[in-house]
Amino acid sequence: HLDLTELKLTELRIETGASSMELMLPANAGFTQVRIESGASSMNIRVPDGVAARIRASGGASDISVDASRFPRVGDVYQSPDYETAANKVEIKAEIGAGAIRVR
């Protein structure tokens, strides 16, 4: 369980194998880049209210679930409508093996 809500984080890189993770991203960090490479894992990512996101997720036998009401699909990414102009935003790039990722 990683709660990064209060941190001023500009870049986060996670590389993991067989694991389970709950990740709460920063609430007021400006722009944060998140890179995830994971194998057989289960990952729940929470984007705080008021933070825009652009999410690009891919994988083999993976289950990818993104809250499309907050982050509608635009081409091959999910993106907040106000992403380009938001003061606080995250860019998430995830490569998942045989796992699951959920972004809310």
Side-chain angles (χ1 to χ4, degrees):
H1 181 82
L2 293 174
D3 185 350
L4 309 174
T5 308
E6 300 300 320
L7 296 180
K8 299 286 186 187
L9 191 66
T10 58
E11 186 174 342
L12 174 66
R13 176 176 221 94
I14 297 173
E15 296 179 20
T16 184
S19 63
S20 177
M21 180 178 290
E22 297 282 335
L23 175 63
M24 176 68 109
L25 295 175
N28 193 23
F31 178 66
T32 303
Q33 287 185 318
V34 179
R35 303 290 179 262
I36 300 167
E37 295 178 20
S38 109
S41 65
S42 172
M43 189 167 288
N44 290 309
I45 301 172
R46 174 78 170 105
V47 179
D49 292 336
V51 176
R54 176 183 291 153
I55 303 137
R56 184 181 315 268
S58 61
S62 57
D63 174 23
I64 299 167
S65 173
V66 177
D67 180 355
S69 66
R70 281 189 69 194
F71 316 112
R73 189 169 190 129
V74 179
D76 62 345
V77 299
Y78 297 88
Q79 182 172 301
S80 301
D82 65 338
Y83 181 81
E84 297 299 333
T85 60
N88 293 299
K89 57 188 167 186
V90 297
E91 179 183 63
I92 302 168
K93 289 186 180 177
E95 294 179 25
I96 309 298
I101 184 169
R102 287 173 181 71
V103 182
R104 304 283 179 253

